[in-house]
Each structure stands twice: as structure tokens, then as C-alpha cells.
Amino acid sequence: MDITISTSFLPHTDPEASLAFYRDVLGFEVRLDVGYENMRWITVGPVGQPDTAIVLTPPAVDPGITETERQTIAEMMAKGTYAGIVLAAPDVDAVFEQIQAHPDVDIVQEPIDQDYGVRDFAVRDPAGNAIRIQQRA
């Protein structure tokens, strides 16, 4: 079986702030920016990797979600516990230096060697999503 990860979804609360983070801080390219009524879905991805993407979505817009569930999602996003993604880089320290140069980035953890064989650091995007960037040892 040959399966790859193609697209992941992360919620945003402010599309312009999320766009600036993924484009200007992480260096991703914008592939699609779709609006519908007062909502936006923005597809971004690493340059040179057209088969890998993240879709930044309005949170909790599924019509099957109750108002209580929407509130829970909003509370979890505010705490930074709702969603996240793990990215990889060949030199995590160099990436960290570039990212921390942006004054508005919420750094959660500086680069450390983990017991499970990776060196990584963590930041939060403007919506509170956890972004871990790792380098295999």
C-alpha cells in the first residue's frame, strides 16, 4: 500500500493573520484563497512540494455542529489545545532562528532533543494551533 498525507486542515480565527503567519513566517506559498459569504478557506503549502498542503478553515462551520460544540471548539482554540500539526526540516535550529526573528510569533518551546529521537521546537499560529517543527536525529 502506498499512502501519503496530502492535505491537513487547521482552523483560523483571523484569515489575514493566519495567511501572514504561514506565508511570511513559515515561507509557505498560497495556492488557493476561496471566500464564501463572510468565510475564507486558504490553502498553503511548502514551496516545491505541490502534493502537500494545509487548508486554513473557518472553525466549526459544519452545519451538524451544535452551538455547545462550537463554544467548546472556540474555548479549546483559545487555549491552543484544539488542533496542531508536525512539520519537518533538515536543520531545525536554522528554522527556529528565522522564525523567532518575527516579533509576533508565539514560541511555546525552544529547540530541544527529545527522548524519542527528534530535535524540535513549538510555536502557535495566530489561531492557537500548535505547530511543532522537528528534525530527525
Side-chain angles (χ1 to χ4, degrees):
M1 204 176 320
D2 185 13
I3 298 173
T4 61
I5 296 174
S6 173
T7 305
S8 295
F9 291 80
L10 292 175
H12 68 69
T13 54
D14 178 339
E16 288 302 323
S18 290
L19 177 61
F21 176 81
Y22 286 91
R23 182 192 56 212
D24 303 338
V25 175
L26 295 184
F28 285 5
E29 63 187 7
V30 178
R31 298 184 183 149
L32 202 57
D33 190 340
V34 178
Y36 175 74
E37 296 182 351
N38 61 347
M39 299 178 284
R40 282 173 70 188
W41 288 259
I42 304 167
T43 303
V44 296
V47 175
Q49 298 178 43
D51 297 330
T52 304
I54 298 171
V55 180
L56 306 168
T57 68
V61 293
D62 186 322
I65 295 177
T66 67
E67 188 52 41
T68 301
E69 291 168 330
R70 278 187 182 75
Q71 184 64 33
T72 299
I73 290 170
E75 290 170 4
M76 291 179 73
M77 287 179 68
K79 289 181 175 178
T81 59
Y82 181 68
I85 194 165
V86 177
L87 306 174
D91 186 345
V92 75
D93 292 294
V95 172
F96 180 76
E97 291 299 320
Q98 292 176 354
I99 288 177
Q100 77 168 357
H102 295 269
D104 297 330
V105 173
D106 181 9
I107 295 173
V108 177
Q109 171 209 300
E110 294 190 3
I112 61 171
D113 294 320
Q114 301 286 359
D115 293 340
Y116 45 90
V118 301
R119 181 169 179 78
D120 71 355
F121 68 93
V123 297
R124 285 195 180 97
D125 76 6
N129 298 307
I131 311 294
R132 297 196 75 82
I133 300 179
Q134 65 178 213
Q135 171 186 345
R136 295 194 183 271

